């Protein structure tokens, strides 16, 4: 089968991996907002047809009970801008018509720039969460070393982190760190959080108001 890349999309409530050999074929997995390595300049609309079983897993060939979907992937100057999943196997004419419509819509530079700005903002929020999470892990390592040295740990403002409580109770530091590294960065851990990015809403009548 060889190497490939994948687009991760949602179909009927299931995450589906749509594979392609069109790009760099390095087993990269792309979500909306990611830059696709090896994509050509300009707007590209790609399509495929997939069969899914009741659990949302891809099946190959004609299978009883499988549902068919026609998928469209839109790239704008390398950015995975959006996708669509239509129930059923659309005809060649219908697929070509939808490809033309999506390409025309995303040739709008303002729309594409807005999506790019949104993507950058979402990545900023993700980096904020990851940075705070790594800071939490580093602080846990520092607490483990201080406890090993016999120091007393004083929680600032009387707020003690869950990981520190576990360390003070005698849990293996490696087990505590493993749990942290396996966990997703989350607000429940008391981490800093950059809220969801969105462009300011524009009043369409603003240029015309007295």
């Amino acid at each position: 089968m060889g190497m490939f890349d994948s687009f991760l999309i949602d179909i009927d409530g299931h995450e589906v991996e749509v594979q392609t050999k069109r790009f760099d074929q390095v087993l990269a997995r792309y979500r909306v907002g990611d830059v696709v390595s090896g994509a050509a300049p300009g707007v590209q609309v790609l399509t495929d047809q997939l069969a899914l079983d009741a659990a949302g897993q891809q099946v190959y060939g004609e299978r009883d009970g499988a549902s068919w979907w026609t998928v469209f992937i839109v790239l704008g100057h390398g950015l995975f801008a959006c996708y669509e999943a239509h129930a059923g196997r659309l005809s060649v004419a219908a697929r070509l018509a939808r490809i033309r419509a999506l390409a025309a819509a995303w040739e709008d530079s303002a729309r594409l720039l807005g999506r790019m700005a949104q993507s950058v903002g979402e990545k900023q929020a993700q980096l904020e969460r990851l940075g705070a999470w790594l800071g939490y892990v580093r602080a846990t390592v520092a607490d483990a070393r201080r406890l090993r040295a016999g120091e007393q740990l004083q929680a600032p403002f009387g707020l003690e982190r869950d990981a520190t409580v576990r360390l003070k109770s005698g849990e293996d530091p490696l087990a505590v760190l493993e749990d942290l590294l396996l966990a997703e960065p989350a607000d429940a851990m008391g981490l800093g959080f950059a809220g969801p990015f969105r462009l300011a809403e524009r009043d369409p009548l603003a240029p015309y108001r007295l």
Side-chain angles (χ1 to χ4, degrees):
M1 185 173 180
M3 301 280 277
F4 55 86
D5 298 313
S6 302
F7 294 102
L8 301 179
I9 67 174
D10 182 88
I11 298 181
D12 200 24
H14 300 284
E15 185 175 75
V16 176
E17 187 170 313
V18 182
Q19 296 180 358
T20 176
K21 292 188 176 183
R22 181 177 290 271
F23 305 108
D24 280 350
Q25 301 181 34
V26 291
L27 298 179
R29 304 172 82 229
Y30 299 113
R31 300 181 186 276
V32 169
D34 290 342
V35 174
V36 177
S37 180
V43 174
Q44 293 177 273
V45 182
L46 309 173
T47 186
D48 199 1
Q49 292 184 326
L50 312 173
L52 306 180
D53 63 18
Q57 299 297 311
Q58 286 191 58
V59 295
Y60 301 93
E62 298 294 335
R63 298 285 186 90
D64 291 340
S67 59
W68 281 90
W69 296 81
T70 301
V71 173
F72 299 91
I73 302 288
V74 180
L75 306 182
H77 293 281
L79 180 78
F80 181 10
C82 77
Y83 67 86
E84 291 183 355
H86 298 258
R89 286 187 276 192
L90 301 187
S91 67
V92 171
R95 292 167 77 182
L96 288 173
R98 192 61 195 147
I99 288 170
R100 286 191 292 268
L102 286 168
W106 285 96
E107 287 288 354
D108 180 351
S109 59
R111 181 177 189 177
L112 185 55
L113 285 171
R115 185 65 191 88
M116 289 178 172
Q118 181 184 1
S119 175
V120 170
E122 290 167 351
K123 300 302 181 187
Q124 285 177 226
Q126 183 181 40
L127 288 173
E128 173 80 13
R129 290 193 297 271
L130 288 172
W133 177 60
L134 289 174
Y136 189 101
V137 172
R138 285 194 296 267
T140 301
V141 172
D143 283 352
R145 287 175 173 165
R146 291 171 62 194
L147 285 170
R148 182 181 295 175
E151 297 182 33
Q152 296 294 318
L153 300 182
Q154 299 297 325
F157 310 110
L159 301 175
E160 202 156 46
R161 295 177 296 109
D162 290 343
T164 302
V165 172
R166 291 175 61 185
L167 291 172
K168 291 173 74 172
S169 71
E171 282 198 53
D172 181 1
L174 289 178
V176 175
L177 288 173
E178 182 179 34
D179 287 346
L180 289 178
L181 292 172
L182 290 175
E184 290 290 332
D187 302 337
M189 296 174 65
L191 304 182
F193 174 68
F197 176 88
R198 63 184 180 86
L199 295 175
E201 294 181 6
R202 182 177 180 276
D203 177 3
L205 293 177
Y208 311 103
R209 296 187 187 280
L210 290 173

